[in-house]
Amino acid sequence: DAVNERIVFRRVVLNSTGPNAPQYFLITPKLLAGLEDMDHPDVRALVVFNGTFNLKRSSDWDIPGFIEKKYRAAQQVSAAA
């Protein structure tokens, strides 16, 4: 459940940050939104996209465009409801 996932993630961050802390890799198919501990300066999030629908060229990545399309689609769904 989300409460326990947040507790575990906070413990991972506390135990793996700082000058003498070990390096830690968390590999997960999902991560909860709004994790406050992601703001820690020693935390780095690397996202790996894998699958048949990936873009072939890095120049095709248009993050603002993707966000705009998602926003417009959400508006259309809410207008239809």
Side-chain angles (χ1 to χ4, degrees), residues 28-74:
T28 177
K30 70 170 185 80
L31 197 56
L32 293 172
L35 289 171
E36 294 176 10
D37 298 294
M38 292 294 288
D39 293 334
H40 192 286
D42 291 343
V43 172
R44 300 288 181 271
L46 303 174
V47 180
V48 177
F49 294 100
N50 189 14
T52 58
F53 299 105
N54 282 345
L55 298 173
K56 302 299 181 207
R57 297 179 308 253
S58 62
S59 61
D60 293 338
W61 282 97
D62 176 21
I63 301 298
F66 298 152
I67 293 170
E68 178 63 28
K69 286 179 188 175
K70 184 73 171 175
Y71 177 74
R72 278 187 273 142

